[in-house]
Amino acid sequence: MAIGEYVKSADWKSEKHVPVIEIPDSVKPGEAFNVQITVGKEISHPNTIEHHIKWFDLYVMYDDGQFLIHLGHIEFTPVNTQPTAVFNVKLEKSGSLIATSYCNIHGLWESSKRVEF
Amino acid sequence: MAIGEYVKSADWKSEKHVPVIEIPDSVKPGEAFNVQITVGKEISHPNTIEHHIKWFDLYVMYDDGQFLIHLGHIEFTPVNTQPTAVFNVKLEKSGSLIATSYCNIHGLWESSKRVEF
Amino acid sequence: MAIGEYVKSADWKSEKHVPVIEIPDSVKPGEAFNVQITVGKEISHPNTIEHHIKWFDLYVMYDDGQFLIHLGHIEFTPVNTQPTAVFNVKLEKSGSLIATSYCNIHGLWESSKRVEF
Amino acid sequence: MAIGEYVKSADWKSEKHVPVIEIPDSVKPGEAFNVQITVGKEISHPNTIEHHIKWFDLYVMYDDGQFLIHLGHIEFTPVNTQPTAVFNVKLEKSGSLIATSYCNIHGLWESSKRVEF
Ligand SMILES: [Fe+3]
Ligand SMILES: [Fe+3]
Ligand SMILES: [Fe+3]
Ligand SMILES: [Fe+3]
C-alpha cells in the first residue's frame, strides 16, 4: 500500500480541496520569492471545528534531482485561521513545486507548479 | 522551572531574533486579515544548515480571555526557506497577537502586537 | 505582553492538562533514553473534535545553558490519537526537560523534570 | 507531477530510511494501542545537523475508507533526538497504517502495516 495511491488531485476550479500554488511571473535562481498556497481559491472550503483544512506541506523536485526537498509545513487552527499561507523560498534550479493539503474529512490533496529559470 | 523565564524579547531593531508582527492598519472583527511574521526585519539572521530559524508559533490572547488561543505553526527548511510567513486570521474581539520564533542556536524569542477593534 | 504569563502549570494529580514527563531512573550523558509525555495521567482529558489536546513541545534547558533547546514537536489528531508520546533523546549535561501541551479550549500548559547525571 | 512518484519504499532490512511500524500482536477496535515508528531499525541512519531524519507522518486507510486519515506528525531535532516515536492510537476498523519519514538529504520514504480486527 503506497500513499501515492490516495493523494487526490483535480482541477482546482471545480474542486475545493486542491492547494493552488501561486508564484510571481518572474523568478530568479538564488533569489527568494513568495509562494502563496490557497485551498478553496474558486470554491471555498468549510472552516469549522468539524470540517476544515488542517495543514499544508510544500516540496520542490528539481528537474535533475533524485529526491524531494521539503520546503516547509504549516498547521492551521479551525475557525480562526484560513487555509492560505505564504512561504518565502529560494531555489537554485528549475523544477516543480508540489503542495499537499489535508482536510480532516476528505484526506490528502496535491497540486504542482513549474518554476522555470 | 517555567518556560516563560527563557523566552527572550527585545527591540527588534537591534536584535535579529525577534519575530516582527505586521498587520493591516484597519482590521475588523470577524473579517480575515493577513498577519505577516518576519525574523530579521532590520538585521538579517543567518539561514544555514548550522544556524537558522526553525519555526514560528502564532497565538492570540483576547483582552477578556482566560486562555491563549493558538492560531498556527510553521516549520521552515534552512537555506531554501526564509524565516517569514503570512497567516490569514479572523478574530472576534480585541486582544494581543503573540508570535514566538525558534533559532536552533539562540533559542526561543517572542513579540506581541495589539489588535484593536 | 509575554507568553510566559499565560502558560499554566499545576499539580498534575489534580489537573488534567499538565503534561507529565517520565524518564528512566538511570540515564547517562550521551546515551539515548525515552521521554514519555502524557496529558491526563491521573484525570483523563476529553478527546473529541470539540475539545482535545492538539500538540506537545519538548525542550531542555541545560544547567549551564543560556538558551532553550527544542527537542521535538508532536501533533495529535482528535478522537483517534491519544495525548501521549515517546521521544528518544540524548543529552550531554544535567538540566531540566520542559514540556508544553496545548488544549484547543484551555490553552497552554507546562511542566518540567530534572535530568541529573 | 504527483508526489506519489517520489515517495520511496524498500525492504527496511537493507535500507536505512524506511520507517518501520511496530504494533502489539493483539489489538482491538476502539481500544488504544501503541504504534512505534523507527527509522534505521536494522541499519542506523546518521543523525547530524548536516544529515538527519526530520519528521514522520502517520496515517490510516481503512479497508472500506475513501480517504486517508492523518493520525499524527512528529518533528525531531538533529543530534539530540533520535528518529523513533510512539503514537497511541485507537482505530475503529481494519485497515493499513502508513508512515512517512523525511531525510533532509534523501527525501521522502514510506512503509505500511496491516491492522486486522
Ligand atoms: Fe473537506
Ligand atoms: Fe540565531
Ligand atoms: Fe481542555
Ligand atoms: Fe539520509
Side-chain angles (χ1 to χ4, degrees), chain B residues 1-11 15 17-19 55-57 59 68 98-103 106-112, chain C residues 1-7 57 59-61 65-70 98 100 108 110:
Chain B
M1 169 161 286
I3 195 167
E5 300 165 42
Y6 303 105
V7 186
K8 294 174 187 280
S9 63
D11 175 13
E15 218 321 311
H17 288 96
V18 177
W55 49 260
F56 297 161
D57 273 312
Y59 298 89
L68 281 169
I98 299 180
T100 55
S101 61
Y102 177 74
C103 168
H106 301 103
L108 207 48
W109 295 76
E110 72 178 321
S111 71
S112 73
Chain C
M1 170 162 286
I3 196 168
E5 301 165 42
Y6 303 105
V7 186
D57 273 312
Y59 299 89
V60 68
M61 186 75 201
Q66 264 192 282
F67 302 107
L68 280 168
I69 298 170
H70 186 242
I98 299 180
T100 54
L108 207 50
E110 72 178 321

Side-chain angles (χ1 to χ4, degrees), chain C residues 85-106:
Chain C
V86 178
F87 288 90
N88 188 256
V89 308
K90 213 159 68 178
L91 302 181
E92 295 306 325
K93 299 175 286 188
S94 294
S96 294
L97 293 167
I98 299 180
T100 54
S101 61
Y102 177 73
C103 168
N104 74 317
I105 293 182
H106 301 104

Side-chain angles (χ1 to χ4, degrees), chain D residues 16-17 45-46 51-53 103-107 109:
Chain D
K16 63 190 173 192
H17 288 96
H45 185 276
H51 185 192
H52 56 271
I53 302 300
C103 168
N104 74 317
I105 294 182
H106 301 104
W109 293 76

Side-chain angles (χ1 to χ4, degrees), chain D residues 60-80:
Chain D
V60 68
M61 185 75 200
Y62 285 135
D63 290 345
D64 67 352
Q66 266 191 278
F67 303 107
L68 280 169
I69 297 170
H70 186 242
L71 295 173
H73 173 81
I74 187 163
E75 293 275 338
F76 303 111
T77 295
V79 182
N80 288 296

Side-chain angles (χ1 to χ4, degrees), chain A residues 99-117:
Chain A
T100 54
S101 62
Y102 178 74
C103 168
N104 74 317
I105 294 182
H106 300 103
L108 207 48
W109 294 75
E110 71 177 320
S111 71
S112 73
K113 177 89 181 175
R114 289 290 305 157
V115 179
E116 311 261 4
F117 295 129

Side-chain angles (χ1 to χ4, degrees), chain D residues 79-103:
Chain D
V79 182
N80 288 296
T81 311
Q82 309 304 115
T84 181
V86 177
F87 289 91
N88 188 256
V89 309
K90 212 159 68 178
L91 302 181
E92 296 305 325
K93 299 174 286 189
S94 292
S96 294
L97 293 167
I98 299 180
T100 54
S101 61
Y102 178 73
C103 168

